[in-house]
Amino acid sequence: MCRYHLGLVEVDGTRQAPAGKMSALPSLCLATCEALEGNLPDCLPAALSLELAHRTSLVFDDIQDNSRQRNHRDTVWEVWGVNQALNAGLALSSYGRLALQDTTGRVDPAVILLVDRLLEEAVVDLCRGQYLDLHFPGTRPSVKDVWR
C-alpha cells in the first residue's frame, strides 16, 4: 500500500516506472543543504523523512476529505479501505522517522534530534490546519479563528 501511494507500484504490486519528478519538499531540503555547503548524501535521509511525512498527511487527508482519487489514481483508502489506509499512513510516518535515524554515525546526534523535533512540530501544525479545514468546512475562517 505504501509503495502504491508513493507511485512505485500498481494496485497488484507490479512495478511502475517512477514519474521522474521529485517532490518540492525534498528538493528544497537538498537545495538548502547544497547552498549551505553541506554533504548531500548525509542530507538524503532527512529529505526522504520530510517527503514521507508529507505523503503520510496525504493518506489521512484523502480519508478526511473523502477523496477517491489523487493524481488520477485511486487513493489508498479507495482501494484497500479506511482501516488499511490508516495502517499505511502510520507505516509511512514510521518509515520517515526511521529514515532520519539512518543519519546516525554520520551526523551529530544533536542535529538529528533537532531536525526530528522540527519535523514533528511541523506535523503538529499540519494537524492543526487539518482540524481547521474540517472544523470550518466550505468557509474561510478569520485570523482570530485560526489563532485560537
Side-chain angles (χ1 to χ4, degrees):
M1 291 181 291
C2 293
R3 288 190 298 258
Y4 172 80
H5 180 64
L6 295 171
L8 302 174
V9 298
E10 298 293 340
V11 172
D12 65 2
T14 305
R15 289 183 186 255
Q16 176 177 315
K21 63 180 180 176
M22 186 180 221
S23 178
L25 294 172
S27 298
L28 185 58
C29 181
L30 295 173
T32 301
C33 177
E34 188 172 45
L36 296 173
E37 298 180 358
N39 185 347
L40 282 178
D42 288 347
C43 186
L44 285 173
L48 177 59
S49 184
L50 184 60
E51 178 63 11
L52 291 175
H54 172 66
R55 294 297 190 98
T56 297
S57 74
L58 298 180
V59 171
F60 297 144
D61 182 66
D62 289 341
I63 294 168
Q64 291 173 325
D65 292 347
N66 202 29
S67 299
R68 297 185 179 279
Q69 290 210 324
R70 177 170 294 281
N71 300 323
H72 309 291
R73 294 179 57 169
D74 288 342
T75 58
V76 174
W77 79 265
E78 174 68 10
V79 176
W80 288 282
V82 170
N83 291 335
Q84 292 294 14
L86 293 171
N87 284 332
L90 183 56
L92 285 169
S93 177
S94 296
Y95 287 142
R97 287 190 298 282
L98 289 170
L100 190 57
Q101 290 177 17
D102 281 345
T103 59
T104 303
R106 295 179 297 173
V107 177
D108 180 347
V111 171
I112 297 169
L113 282 173
L114 175 62
V115 170
D116 184 46
R117 180 174 185 84
L118 292 171
L119 182 56
E120 294 300 330
E121 288 173 354
V123 170
V124 169
D125 287 343
L126 186 145
C127 291
R128 179 161 171 68
Q130 277 297 105
Y131 166 80
L132 292 171
D133 187 43
L134 295 169
H135 188 70
F136 297 105
T139 64
R140 188 175 181 141
S142 69
V143 172
K144 181 180 169 185
D145 291 329
V146 172
W147 287 106
R148 282 189 197 174

